[in-house]
Every structure is written in structure tokens, then in C-alpha cells.
Amino acid sequence: MENMENGAAHGAARPKASSCDSCGDSSCSAARRDLNESDQDFQERRALQSRLCRIGHKIMVMSGKGGVGKSTVAVNLAMGLMLAGKKVGLLDVDIHGPSVPTMLGLEGASIEQGPDGLLPVELGHLKVMSMGFLLRNPDDAVIWRGPVKGGVIKQFLKDVAWGDLDYLIIDAPPGTGDEPLSICQLINPIDGAVVVTTPQRVAAMDVRKSITFCAQVGMEVLGVVENMSGFVCPKCGEVTHILRSGGGKRMADDMGVPFLGSIPIDPTVAEAGDLGQAFVLHHASSPTAEIMRSVVAPLLNLPTRGQGA
Ligand code: ADP
């Protein structure tokens, strides 16, 4: 842990001030110092903004509760965007339970310091950063309070050499706690959230809270994904609806947000996750991968947002 805190806080090179100075966007919030803002806070805000300016779209993947497949969706969204020819970053801020390294077969990878900041782990055109890379032992428990977690998320955004990206996908921990709030405050503007749920009523009720959270913090809901919607028989491919299905779609309609699609329970998805293989890449021809690509498709057409905030 000390490694992370010291390494990221002291070791990371600051992005060149010129990258912010040269932009010339006078409407950008980083163009001027706020009243009551210390010089250090202003410089940090500029450093953060100069990183974020180089990222076209920022999308947070959220869920109301754990175990609904949020990380699976985040990994496959990121990989799906990469397979569509985009430069993508995947930031796993599930500080207490980072599963992205396992799902991408990157366990044991470590972070190096580069000339312009911490170097994310690269997998093709996908750049990955996770708390999991910073734990000395995968069994280590992270016991941090909210403000510390907010500081770490800021470092993940500001001190990592993301470079030029088309998309940054952020895998947030379940619920509407400190981490999603920090992300919304730090990334301004953020394109919005993809909210993952399962079909049963209780999970769908839980995810309503995520949608209400988005409304309260002024973040757009880009869409709801209903995961584990029906079971795909590995022998015949027939889909059986074990859990009451359609909850995600009903809830999305009810709350006036887009519905991105229903991904079935497919044993190959779980197996791929355990083997560290991104499903859309390794099982590209399967019907479930086709569904995942259809969830990705609307995200390829997001409008460009200005940086001024
Ligand atoms: P969360 O991030 O919401 O906690 P995960 O993405 O870690 O959930 O998924 C929990 C477990 O469910 C993992 O073992 C994952 O492989 C499995 N899983 C997720 N989605 C599916 C699916 N559509 N079909 C089969 N298994 C799935």
C-alpha cells in the first residue's frame, strides 16, 4: 500500500504545463484559478484537466449491487470499443475488489514509471490501470476511508500517462458511495454512466438508486444493461429464463433512460473471465459476443463534449 501512495504521489512526473497552456480554450475551467483556490490545488486541477482533455469520451460503468456482472460488462465494453478500432483506457477503481486484472489475464503485471507518469499496462490498443496492479499480494485488503479513496482515484486520472484515447471506461465499485461521487467530481464533463443490473425485481430496484444518483449529480445515463438475462444452454443454445426477465428494460422505460440490451447467462462468459480472456475477443463468433457488440454500438456514436465546465 505504501508503495502505491508514495509511488503515485511522489514518483509520477507532472504532465507538461504547456499541454494545458497551449490549448487556448478560454472557456475551460482549468484556464483560471478559482477564488479561494490555493496555487497547488490550481496546478493539480490543470494537470488533471490536461490529461482528461486528451480523452475523447469518459464512461463510468456502475451497478446498484455487486455480482451482477459490472466488471464483465466494463471489460467487454472496453474490448469491444478497441475491436471497433478505438484507442481505449480501462480504469478499475473497484479499490476493494479489483477484478479487471484477473479478467484480462493481467494478474502479476506491475506498473512502471514513465517520463510522463505511471505507465498503464497495455493489451493491444487497450491501456489498463487497476488497484490490483498496486497490491503487493493479491490477498491484501485495502482499508481506506472515503477521502483517501478519492485521492487515489485522482492519482489514477492525473498521474497515469493515458496519452491520447478515444474512450476511458471506468469500472466503479457497486453502489453510490465515495468512488462514483469522486469520479463525477473529478471528470467534468463526463459522458455518462452505463448501469448494469440483473433481471430480478430486487436487483432492478437497487439499480434505480444508481439512476437517481446520476440525476442528482447531473450525469447522463447512457443506458441500462440487463446482464444474466436467461441461460444459454451450452449444448443446444436454447435460452431459458431462470430469473424473471425484463426487469432492466421495464425499469429503463419507467425511468426514461435508454436500454442497451440483455446479455444472457452464458457459462462461456464465466469461464472466459476465470481464464483471463476478454469474451468478445476470444469468443467473437458466439451469439453472446454479438449481443455484447450491440451494447457497444450506441457508445460509438456519442456526441463530442467540450472541456469547459
Ligand atoms: P460485479 O463486477 O458486478 O461484481 P463480475 O463482473 O465480477 O460482477 O461478475 C461476477 C461473476 O459472474 C463472474 O464470475 C463473471 O464471470 C460472471 N458473469 C458475469 N456475467 C455473466 C454472464 N452473462 N454469464 C455468465 N457468467 C457471468
Side-chain angles (χ1 to χ4, degrees), residues 18 21 28 32 48 79 103 117 138 149 154 162 175 181 193 237 246:
S18 62
D21 291 337
C28 176
R32 65 206 157 271
L48 173 65
M79 193 52 87
M103 288 185 173
K149 290 193 274 189
K154 189 172 179 181
W162 292 107
L181 188 59

Side-chain angles (χ1 to χ4, degrees), residues 65-72 99 103 227-228 263-266 269-270:
K65 50 166 64 179
V68 299
K70 172 186 53 60
S71 295
T72 303
S99 45
M103 288 185 173
N227 188 34
M228 307 191 183
I263 302 172
I265 299 177
D266 183 335
V269 170

Side-chain angles (χ1 to χ4, degrees), residues 1-8 136 144:
M1 290 302 42
E2 300 83 19
N3 253 1
M4 158 65 191
E5 292 192 86
N6 294 338
R136 273 196 222 111
W144 287 342

Side-chain angles (χ1 to χ4, degrees), residues 90-93 98-101 111 128-134 156:
L90 175 58
L91 173 57
D92 175 12
V93 295
S99 45
V100 165
I111 300 300
V128 187
M129 178 55 82
S130 167
M131 190 64 216
F133 297 142
L134 301 157
F156 276 148

